Amino acid sequence: MLYIVMKRIFIVVVCIVSGMSFSFAQNDWVNQYTLAQEAFNAGNLENATAMGKQCLDNYMKQSGEIGTNYRSILRLLSTIAFESSNFEEGIEYSKKEISVLEQMASPKDLTYAGALYNLGLMYRQLDNNEEAQNNLAETLSIYLLYYSPNDEEVVNCKWKLATVKTSLGLKDEAATLFDEAFTAFGNPEEITPDYLQACYYYGSLLVEIGKNSEAVTYLNNVKTIYEDNDYQDSDEYMSVVATMANAYRQIDKVKAEELFALATEKFKSTNSVNSTEYANLVNNRAVNLQALGKSSEAEALLTEMGGGSANEGTVDVSSLNNLAALSQQRGDNKKAEELYLQAIELVEDKTSSSYAEVLENLAVLYSNTGKLE
């Protein structure tokens, strides 16, 4: 059995303040640097942040030299900011670190690549995927000068870059990177969060591009690891099960319904039923139930979610659209028209694909019933 190893592989403080001879007053920033590192390693991010900022302030007062020490302090502060989810602040520290390296005329080596990698990850956290892609791509090009393709640093960077490219809609490029990374990585001796995240994102991408059998392999790997580690109550587990269910819709609809039911139960147990992800789950499950010939169950599921009436809490457009389609199939065209019109009223973005889909379905209804409008 493989267990998850929780280790930081995102941002690492690599440089230590160089040893020099200081008076006590001059040595304040060195002591504060050490205390900030110790607080960070102990998980006390608030103290680490405060001590790190004091260190920077005192360094600028006592020295201010643009060099390795300044760069090391900036790297420490960007690391602390990342772990504290202060990504905007962390980006500024990383950008300053890169600027310092350039002013020092440093080569584009692993230290430089580390700053780029950190910057890319923080842009990713803020959904600035263009900047994330630019920084991670340059990181990878430098890594490949120092590491082999199967080294952890290269593999992790490819996973991150592939995830970003997926978000940018560059699916073919993302799939290539994921495939290269997993092929080079082989069977892991230990499981890290990065590995699990990469398996999930690659599995999800494979579902999107129609490679469902391959997707199941990656997603089931994550599902099994979560179950072996009693991680079934997590949001991540729910997402994996829901995505696996979508993959199985094209392979084994009965198995898909088993997974949809499990995912539904997990969402309800964690009070996550108001999320967009749950709405997607319900609609995909309803489509699968309909394909299994269980239209009444599909309708009941959609109605329970709030698709039966505009007065029943939050109404999901997709649910209304699917309910209308079910009504249309059983010949209740009046009910179908009401639901389609209700869905159209709820769509705020009239240029969205969901709006176009509802309009198309309503047009088909009118065409079939001779009501040309």
Side-chain angles (χ1 to χ4, degrees):
M1 182 185 298
L2 289 171
Y3 291 93
I4 301 173
V5 177
M6 302 300 290
K7 66 177 185 177
R8 289 193 186 92
I9 48 180
F10 300 105
I11 299 183
V12 179
V13 181
V14 281
C15 291
I16 305 300
V17 179
S18 58
M20 296 177 68
S21 176
F22 297 101
S23 67
F24 180 78
Q26 291 174 319
N27 207 34
D28 283 350
W29 67 268
V30 180
N31 294 331
Q32 288 160 348
Y33 181 95
T34 302
L35 290 172
Q37 276 196 317
E38 290 174 352
F40 174 76
N41 291 333
N44 191 335
L45 297 178
E46 184 176 350
N47 283 354
T49 300
M51 196 59 61
K53 289 181 176 180
Q54 286 180 27
C55 171
L56 179 60
D57 288 342
N58 283 332
Y59 178 80
M60 298 308 293
K61 292 174 183 176
Q62 296 168 15
S63 172
E65 180 186 359
I66 303 298
T68 300
N69 291 329
Y70 184 34
R71 189 209 66 77
S72 298
I73 296 169
L74 292 171
R75 174 67 67 92
L76 174 61
L77 283 167
S78 69
T79 303
I80 296 169
F82 181 90
E83 292 295 334
S84 304
S85 298
N86 295 325
F87 303 118
E88 294 91 346
E89 189 173 280
I91 284 171
E92 292 307 310
Y93 288 131
S94 285
K95 288 167 71 174
K96 285 181 181 178
E97 181 188 357
I98 291 170
S99 176
V100 168
L101 287 167
E102 291 173 345
Q103 290 179 62
M104 293 168 60
S106 298
K108 290 190 175 183
D109 56 10
L110 293 178
T111 299
Y112 189 88
L116 289 172
Y117 184 69
N118 296 345
L119 189 57
L121 293 188
M122 287 185 281
Y123 275 126
R124 168 64 177 167
Q125 291 295 324
L126 296 176
D127 291 325
N128 188 338
N129 290 305
E130 289 287 354
E131 287 293 340
Q133 177 183 225
N134 293 340
N135 284 282
L136 291 173
E138 188 173 357
T139 301
L140 180 60
S141 67
I142 297 172
Y143 277 177
L144 289 171
L145 298 175
Y146 293 87
Y147 298 117
S148 67
N150 61 339
D151 282 336
E152 184 180 22
E153 291 80 2
V154 172
V155 169
N156 279 323
C157 189
K158 284 187 175 182
W159 283 340
K160 296 297 183 186
L161 182 56
T163 301
V164 169
K165 286 183 178 291
T166 300
S167 297
L168 290 170
L170 304 173
K171 297 178 182 179
D172 290 341
E173 293 180 27
T176 298
L177 283 168
F178 273 129
D179 184 61
E180 288 176 356
F182 278 109
T183 300
F185 193 61
N187 294 320
E189 296 180 359
E190 59 182 27
I191 301 299
T192 65
D194 266 15
Y195 172 78
L196 293 172
Q197 186 182 63
C199 283
Y200 171 70
Y201 278 116
Y202 190 29
S204 300
L205 174 61
L206 289 167
V207 173
E208 288 185 37
I209 61 180
K211 296 184 177 182
N212 294 288
S213 296
E214 191 175 348
V216 166
T217 300
Y218 285 94
L219 294 168
N220 191 56
N221 184 24
V222 181
K223 177 175 176 287
T224 300
I225 292 169
Y226 281 158
E227 289 169 349
D228 287 345
N229 287 272
D230 295 324
Y231 206 57
Q232 294 98 313
D233 293 331
S234 65
D235 291 343
E236 291 86 352
Y237 181 77
M238 291 189 298
S239 297
V240 170
V241 173
T243 307
M244 266 189 76
N246 279 328
Y248 268 111
R249 277 175 56 194
Q250 311 303 322
I251 303 170
D252 182 344
K253 289 180 171 54
V254 174
K255 178 66 176 178
E257 169 54 19
E258 292 177 7
L259 291 165
F260 276 130
L262 174 60
T264 302
E265 176 189 337
K266 291 296 181 183
F267 270 93
K268 288 182 175 180
S269 68
T270 57
N271 296 315
S272 302
V273 295
N274 294 321
S275 65
T276 301
E277 190 172 10
Y278 180 72
N280 292 333
L281 168 68
V282 168
N283 283 293
N284 289 331
R285 185 182 180 189
V287 171
N288 191 65
L289 284 168
Q290 187 180 1
L292 287 170
K294 299 180 178 181
S295 296
S296 59
E297 292 182 34
E299 185 171 5
L301 185 67
L302 292 168
T303 302
E304 177 187 350
M305 186 183 160
S309 167
N311 298 319
E312 295 178 5
T314 302
V315 184
D316 179 73
V317 172
S318 296
S319 296
L320 287 169
N321 187 41
N322 287 336
L323 273 172
L326 287 170
S327 297
Q328 186 176 347
Q329 285 183 4
R330 65 169 183 265
D332 190 347
N333 293 325
K334 181 179 179 181
K335 181 65 174 177
E337 181 182 9
E338 291 175 359
L339 291 167
Y340 283 136
L341 291 173
Q342 190 178 339
I344 287 172
E345 289 180 6
L346 288 171
V347 179
E348 295 181 359
D349 183 2
K350 304 303 182 184
T351 64
S352 65
S353 59
S354 58
Y355 182 70
E357 184 178 350
V358 177
L359 280 180
E360 182 180 358
N361 289 343
L362 181 59
V364 171
L365 173 66
Y366 285 157
S367 176
N368 292 340
T369 58
K371 188 177 180 179
L372 302 178
E373 294 187 0

